[in-house]
Amino acid sequence: MKLVVANWKMNLTASETRAYTAAFRKGLTALEGVEIVLAPPFTALAAAAAAEGRWSLAGQNCHHRSSGAFTGEISARMLADLGCRYVILGHSERRRDFGESGELLSEKVARAREAGLVPIFCVGESLGEREAGATEEVLERQVADLAADPAGMPLVVAYEPVWAIGTGQRADGGQIRGAHGRLRSLLAVRSDLRILYGGSVTAETSGEILGLPDVDGALVGGASLDPAGFARIARAAIQR
Ligand code: PGA
């Protein structure tokens, strides 16, 4: 079963989330055959949980400590208590804009596990790295930050080339297959691994992307903000 994740980033208030979930539910005609995850901002998680649809929830981030004097931060346990099943970690916007290091991300993965959350761990190369032929090396380095995570635990890895995020310029089939194949061999010890593609996935392109052999689902940013469009992506995933 494919997994489609809506990463709303810093969009949609709690009230807008109520309208979104109502519209999204209408767009989901076939209910079985796809796993749907919504990742609203922290302030809208409760509204998305209260709407009780056929989706589970993800936090977009969590702190690397379990509790304490960290003003403005959110712990993995708080997310789990609100009903989250997943947490997105290592998104390139956090690596780039908030300076999140591999070492810090390993700690976040451990906190997520302690709280019973499944990490959706994002990896991907920048344009410069791809042009320098360093894609495989970057993926290897980023995946090494998962070394301490028990191999038998369910894990989701999202391959998101940085140059494809929010740019409208998605990776082509060959690039996606190449990266996913590499990730699968780097993570061969994992017994429950799903690899998603993310980066400018739209309702129009989702069918083709989700049909690629090594793609277990999609992490969708901009195109997930339209409930009808995201419902189309979920339906495309059912057919694959
Ligand atoms: P995008 O974002 O679909 O808007 O490119 C994907 C992501 O950042 O997860």
Side-chain angles (χ1 to χ4, degrees):
M1 195 189 299
K2 303 276 181 187
L3 168 63
V4 291
V5 183
N7 176 12
W8 293 355
K9 310 192 180 186
M10 198 174 72
N11 295 291
L12 303 188
T13 63
S15 328
E16 287 162 351
T17 295
R18 285 186 275 278
Y20 180 106
T21 48
F24 183 52
R25 189 182 281 110
K26 279 193 204 125
L28 290 176
T29 46
L31 291 182
E32 300 302 324
V34 59
E35 183 182 350
I36 299 165
V37 176
L38 301 180
F42 297 139
T43 48
L45 278 168
E52 285 188 14
R54 217 196 122 271
W55 50 77
S56 50
L57 296 176
Q60 295 178 14
N61 177 37
C62 69
H63 197 261
H64 63 284
R65 299 280 181 82
S66 46
S67 65
F70 302 105
T71 302
E73 292 296 323
I74 299 287
S75 73
R77 210 174 130 246
M78 292 168 184
L79 296 177
D81 183 66
L82 270 182
C84 288
R85 196 169 134 60
Y86 296 94
V87 60
I88 299 173
L89 294 175
H91 191 282
S92 66
E93 285 153 15
R94 297 214 56 93
R95 290 179 188 263
R96 183 193 62 208
D97 302 340
F98 299 91
E100 294 195 357
S101 66
E103 200 182 332
L104 181 93
L105 292 172
S106 302
E107 290 189 50
K108 290 191 181 204
V109 168
R111 296 299 85 73
R113 293 299 187 194
E114 285 161 15
L117 298 175
V118 176
I120 300 174
F121 191 81
C122 302
V123 297
E125 80 288 359
S126 67
L127 186 57
E129 288 162 341
R130 173 160 285 273
E131 285 174 350
T135 300
E136 295 207 352
E137 192 186 311
V138 170
L139 297 181
E140 199 170 326
R141 194 178 63 232
Q142 292 174 332
V143 153
D145 297 322
L146 292 166
D149 188 51
M153 300 293 272
L155 174 69
V156 180
V157 169
Y159 170 59
E160 296 206 305
V162 179
W163 48 273
I165 295 175
T167 58
Q169 191 200 341
R170 71 172 175 90
D172 65 32
Q175 290 167 328
I176 297 173
R177 290 181 70 168
H180 282 226
R182 183 75 190 123
L183 287 168
R184 214 168 282 283
S185 67
L186 287 168
L187 291 164
V189 294
R190 308 287 319 197
S191 57
D192 184 353
L193 172 69
R194 285 178 292 175
I195 305 180
L196 313 182
Y197 169 76
S200 297
V201 175
T202 62
E204 291 69 35
T205 61
S206 58
E208 185 195 330
I209 293 170
L210 289 162
L212 293 169
D214 240 343
V215 175
D216 299 318
L219 179 52
V220 187
S224 74
L225 294 173
D226 165 28
F230 189 55
R232 264 181 74 192
I233 294 173
R235 285 199 300 275
I238 293 170
Q239 284 145 21
R240 296 289 156 178

